[in-house]
Amino acid sequence: SSRPLLDRLKIRLSRLFQMNMVGESSESNGKVHRKVGLVYDETMCKHDTPDGEAHPERPDRIRVIWEKLQLAGVTQRCVVLSGTKAEDAHLQLVHTKDHVNLVKSSTNKKDYQSDRVASLVNSIYLNGSTSEAAYLAAGSVVAVTEKVAKGELDSGFAIVRPPGHHAEADEAMGFCFFNNVAVAASYLLDERPDLGVKKILVVDWDVHHGNGTQKMFWEDPRVLVFSVHRHEDGGFYPGGDDGSYNMVGEGPGEGFNINVPWEQGRCGDADYLAAWDHILIPVAKEFNPDIILLSAGFDAAIGDPLGGCRVTPYGYSVMLKKLMEFAQGKIVMALEGGYNLDSIAKSSLACVQVLLEDNPIQGSSEAIPFMSTWRVIQAVRKRLCAYWPSLADELPSKLTNQKTPTPIVLTSNSNSEAKDNAHELLDQMSKLNIENHQGDTKVSRSWRSDLSKVDVWYASFGSNMWKPRFLCYIQGGQVEGMTKPCVGSMDKSPPKGITWGTYPNRLFFGRESTNVWGKGGVAFTNPLTNPNDQTHMCLYRITLEQFNDVLFQENGLNVDFASPIFGLTALQLVEKNGSTPLEADLAPWYGNVVCLGREGDVPILTMTCTLSVIEKFASGEVPLSPPAKAYANTLIRGLVEGGIFSEEEAEAYIDNAASKPLYINGASRF
Ligand code: X5A
Ligand code: ZN
């Protein structure tokens, strides 16, 4: 038909148009790359404790980040800048003259303390190079910011130390001397009106409250300051009430300061992404910044000795990716805290890859937000909804009341339907035992033990994207939306890894009903690729034995087979040919195993229908039909909890896949 062709032309046209719009960006292999600036200057490593004492804010922090970026080969693809010293006039846009002079002339802590008794308790140290490093840190952030605002760079990352966000107008504290980000923001607004930047969004994801930045723009509506931090009712550094959600700014700046104060440590990707989806992103849409300055501390990272939170590199990459939608992606990241060398290096790399628009971002996110997280998010929304109408709606209780879902253990169920299910399960189990005690034991044992030694990534695009649902196939059980339980795999060990990937295949929904979900279509993906198509998949690292048990269950079979449905020979075939059909009688639903590539040494396998069934779907012989609500919700939960999409985005993704016609001649043609 003519409609798909038109759609495809539109996509191509919009891509051509996009290419012309970013004329500054470099192009190689036909792929447009964003121009990303990186500042690194070894001189900033010279700031150190005077007596060689160990300190978390140590020189190696920026070294390991730089080495990681070099090793990953990303520095060659960026514009590398060396440090620039800040000008006193620029520092004085946010600091007092006294403070600037004091930092300038201090060469040891005594100099500093003799002038300012307060610094005794304020977590700073100095040596002969501190002043130089502090000037370089602030000046470098100013320099990249200017280049991004001008459009010379699309975005940038200033790998600087000492950090800045705790530094106040007249005070160094929390390892900070000059407020690097605040200096850069004020520079744009006050010194460079020619660049046309009128509204700046400062996002501070350092685990500590950005008290300095908050104070500097307290009455300034041109700078929206957003800080998410561990607060614990003022018990966490820097402490007191400053980091509370009640601190919204004053005068013309009222409503332009947003704090998300965690009540507890251990917050991870799910908590941060919930704050993004339900506070920061909607507000950013309304504020519509001209540029984003990111106080990018990595001390909320998993493994950080000071932060005690659990954000993964993947979590940081998703948070950053969501910000790329604003200000045409003009983002300047400035390093703040972050004290686990390995975590900060990995997190930094993940972020630079986002700035470069490398695809796809790999990662995992299993958790759901803490109850306390929803409490905080709701309090923040309530406090700020007068200024930001998009925060006014009450969050659906289905979101805020969810507890960590666990598969139902069948034997503990007492209602009659579940009992029936349990009987069915017991039946299956006993059959299984009988089978194992009769004749086939040896064959059965040997295929299982052989295949248990081989790992594969099972890539799921349907309900299995929701981890608790997938676990039913491993551990047995039933979760919300399922009409009957799964028996589980023989080997009940949990997946050894979880990650996500995006593949150029068409997701669609077909057939009228299933045993497990009742009425409605279920997910398939076209085994043929097309660069215009995208299926998001959750990858579970399991053994080939478990993969067989998943295949059995997906096809409505028991798991007591004497031989595998997908053995070592089939694995070799699929790795060579890209896909291999399974025995049609045994696997009527998902009768085609497709190899999507490798992750490390391990093949990535998905299961879908065969090409002949694709043809039947396309011709209408087998119906395409949208998923029932319960089934669609399971996919949406998987995508949301996996950190791939917001709920709205996940819904749109499913709706889109369910409503487009399936045309086979488009595949592999472009
Ligand atoms: C920039 C930063 C932390 C200060 C902690 C003091 N500062 N105990 O992460
Ligand atoms: Zn910090």
Side-chain angles (χ1 to χ4, degrees), residues 8-26:
R8 277 178 277 151
L9 274 170
K10 272 190 211 155
I11 291 166
R12 296 199 106 188
L13 276 172
S14 71
R15 286 197 182 153
L16 279 170
F17 183 66
Q18 227 179 348
M19 268 152 68
N20 289 334
M21 297 295 285
V22 282
E24 285 277 326
S25 299
S26 57

Side-chain angles (χ1 to χ4, degrees), residues 105-118:
S105 60
S106 312
T107 54
N108 63 61
K109 201 169 178 179
K110 290 215 176 64
D111 293 348
Y112 194 88
Q113 280 168 358
S114 61
D115 282 84
R116 297 203 54 87
V117 183

Side-chain angles (χ1 to χ4, degrees), residues 9-196:
L9 274 170
K10 272 190 211 155
I11 291 166
R12 296 199 106 188
L13 276 172
S14 71
R15 286 197 182 153
L16 279 170
F17 183 66
Q18 227 179 348
M19 268 152 68
N20 289 334
M21 297 295 285
V22 282
E24 285 277 326
S25 299
S26 57
E27 193 191 326
S28 66
N29 314 326
K31 191 178 185 307
V32 177
H33 291 294
R34 310 255 310 166
K35 228 173 167 180
V36 178
L38 294 177
V39 189
Y40 178 72
D41 198 318
E42 183 73 21
T43 317
M44 284 181 272
C45 294
K46 291 187 344 193
H47 163 56
D48 204 349
T49 49
D51 35 24
E53 219 179 290
H55 193 282
E57 206 289 274
R58 57 194 196 264
D60 275 348
R61 292 177 59 239
I62 55 174
R63 262 190 211 117
V64 295
I65 292 174
W66 186 245
E67 279 162 15
K68 184 75 163 188
L69 298 182
Q70 277 186 316
L71 222 80
V74 298
T75 53
Q76 299 103 290
R77 299 165 53 210
C78 296
V79 179
V80 177
L81 309 162
S82 52
T84 310
K85 279 188 188 164
E87 286 175 32
D88 284 354
H90 300 159
L91 296 170
Q92 283 173 33
L93 295 169
V94 295
H95 291 289
T96 64
K97 204 171 179 169
D98 278 359
H99 178 74
V100 173
N101 285 333
L102 192 60
V103 174
K104 189 195 295 201
S105 60
S106 312
T107 54
N108 63 61
K109 201 169 178 179
K110 290 215 176 64
D111 293 348
Y112 194 88
Q113 280 168 358
S114 61
D115 282 84
R116 297 203 54 87
V117 183
S119 68
L120 268 173
V121 288
N122 266 343
S123 304
I124 55 149
Y125 60 83
L126 298 107
N127 69 359
S129 298
T130 296
S131 164
E132 189 183 16
Y135 270 82
L136 280 172
S140 300
V141 177
V142 171
V144 201
T145 303
E146 183 193 29
K147 286 191 169 23
V148 172
K150 268 187 187 157
E152 276 175 34
L153 296 171
D154 290 307
S155 59
F157 179 25
I159 307 159
V160 296
R161 65 182 287 273
H165 73 151
H166 295 305
E168 299 191 349
D170 197 34
E171 187 140 25
M173 61 182 277
F175 320 154
C176 304
F177 294 85
F178 296 136
N179 195 319
N180 309 321
V181 162
V183 173
S186 295
Y187 170 75
L188 285 187
L189 294 171
D190 299 342
E191 302 286 299
R192 298 303 303 272
D194 57 307
L195 298 179

Side-chain angles (χ1 to χ4, degrees), residues 165-166 174-175 206-209 237 297-300 306 336-339:
H165 73 151
H166 295 305
F175 320 154
D206 185 284
V207 77
H208 303 99
H209 177 228
Y237 189 86
F298 291 114
D299 43 11
L306 269 60
E336 298 280 0
Y339 308 101

Side-chain angles (χ1 to χ4, degrees), residues 75 84 119 123 150 155 180 206 229 242 278 292 307 346 351 357 382 412 426 432 436 466 483 487 504 522 634 655 662:
T75 53
T84 310
S119 68
S123 304
K150 268 187 187 157
S155 59
N180 309 321
D206 185 284
H229 44 268
D242 281 358
H278 303 291
I292 298 178
K346 285 182 181 154
C351 287
E357 291 195 327
K382 193 160 172 232
S412 71
L426 283 174
L432 199 142
N436 270 346
W466 192 41
T483 59
V487 54
V522 287
T634 313
D655 280 349
L662 180 72

